[in-house]
Amino acid sequence: MRVGLHALGIGDGARPEVIRAVATAAEATGFARLWCGEHVVLVDAPASRYPYSADGRIAVPADADWLDPLLALSFAAAVTNRIELATGVLLLPEHNPVLVAKQVATLDVLSAGRFSLGVGVGWSAEEFAALGVPFAGRGRRTDEYLAAMRTLWTQDPASYTGEFARFDAIRVNPKPLRGGRLPVVIGGNSDTALRRAVTLAEGWYGFNVPVADIPARIAALADECARHGRDLGELTVAVAPSDGTPEHLPGLAAAGVTELVVVGAPPTTPDGAAMWVKELARTWISPVA
């Protein structure tokens, strides 16, 4: 089982010197992948419920720095050579799919094929309103945007007509390096997210999932695979547990987790951030090795 690190882009993790320190230390100590999430907008008193905490509130303060994940990961790509990169997650229905298709293919090329696109449908109605995107129908919009983007990655010229996206005989380059099949990972813990991962993607990312719930979620993922004619082994299964310890690693591997994602906030200084990553590696990677 691989170990990833979700630590870039927010607060002190948004500072370039800290990103450099975390990324280079993570690569040197054996982390498999760097994850970076997204919110374009936060509000001080949201009415929308955050689905990944018991109290329905996101832990990040509304006034915290939060970098665009594609730009943050481009910076991380420039200071590393081997470690993989992933959005965890990009809120796809908030964006123009033609633009995102070009941006992520560009990042894939610049990182020499190290990038995976993690996407989610979003939960904040306030964020969608600020961006002028309807909150209703965001799941259908996500599905269609993925189809449109794959059309752009695999056809040249490309045409697509749908409810939310349409273009005719356009060329969008560069193309992703892996034959136009840039890996897509679906984030979200709901049954709908699992179904979307099986039917539209190459992997699933469960965020802040209690350890006790992970085997049941993977069993549900396997059921969806059986229902849609896929083998669970075709999918990457990345999970960031809300309460995991290294003692849980064997059980998580047995349940089908292929990547354990450690979530944390780095210290304020580059030296402190590098030491923090090394300590995380001793805690989480050494037991796996």
Side-chain angles (χ1 to χ4, degrees):
M1 184 169 59
R2 296 156 29 116
V3 181
L5 180 61
H6 190 142
L8 300 181
I10 302 172
D12 290 322
R15 296 166 55 195
E17 65 273 22
V18 173
I19 295 174
R20 181 189 296 272
V22 169
T24 56
E27 181 168 78
T29 54
F31 281 95
R33 183 152 53 176
L34 291 168
W35 295 79
C36 187
E38 175 183 49
H39 276 293
V40 180
V41 168
L42 292 176
V43 297
D44 292 339
S48 301
R49 180 177 177 81
Y50 179 64
Y52 304 107
S53 68
D55 63 2
R57 299 293 179 186
I58 190 169
V60 180
D63 61 352
D65 285 340
W66 196 318
L67 298 184
D68 178 285
L70 298 178
L71 293 176
L73 289 172
S74 294
F75 185 94
V79 300
T80 57
N81 297 297
R82 302 179 309 279
I83 195 166
E84 296 177 26
L85 311 162
T87 48
V89 290
L90 182 101
L91 303 174
L92 183 58
E94 296 180 352
H95 299 274
N96 181 293
V98 178
L99 182 58
V100 173
K102 187 178 187 75
Q103 289 172 323
V104 300
T106 299
L107 176 49
D108 191 56
V109 169
L110 291 177
S111 66
R114 290 186 280 148
F115 178 67
S116 295
L117 176 63
V119 303
V121 302
W123 55 268
S124 171
E126 294 88 348
E127 184 167 17
F128 277 76
L131 294 167
V133 179
F135 189 63
R138 64 195 185 282
R140 297 196 322 276
R141 188 182 294 270
T142 298
D143 297 348
E144 188 173 296
Y145 280 7
L146 283 173
M149 289 164 60
R150 284 199 162 118
T151 299
L152 292 167
W153 293 335
T154 57
Q155 299 179 21
D156 199 20
S159 300
Y160 184 89
T161 301
E163 180 184 1
F164 304 107
R166 61 185 58 200
F167 43 83
D168 182 49
I170 64 173
R171 297 182 186 272
V172 176
N173 289 301
K175 299 288 190 271
L177 293 183
R178 284 154 286 186
R181 192 67 180 178
L182 190 148
V184 173
V185 177
I186 299 296
N189 303 341
S190 68
D191 290 343
T192 302
L194 299 181
R195 188 176 309 114
R196 186 170 281 117
V198 170
T199 57
L200 297 177
E202 287 72 47
W204 171 61
Y205 179 34
F207 184 77
N208 219 32
V209 187
V211 166
D213 294 347
I214 291 173
R217 288 288 77 198
I218 296 177
L221 187 68
D223 288 344
E224 289 291 342
C225 285
R227 190 172 296 116
H228 295 280
R230 291 196 72 178
D231 185 336
L232 180 61
E234 298 174 6
L235 299 177
T236 59
V237 179
V239 177
S242 60
D243 55 353
T245 67
E247 288 71 27
H248 292 115
L249 290 171
L252 293 174
V257 174
T258 62
E259 182 175 343
L260 185 286
V261 182
V262 179
V263 179
T268 59
T269 67
D271 288 346
M275 290 301 298
W276 175 74
V277 171
K278 291 175 184 177
E279 183 58 35
L280 289 177
R282 282 192 290 268
T283 300
W284 290 100
I285 297 178
S286 297
V288 174

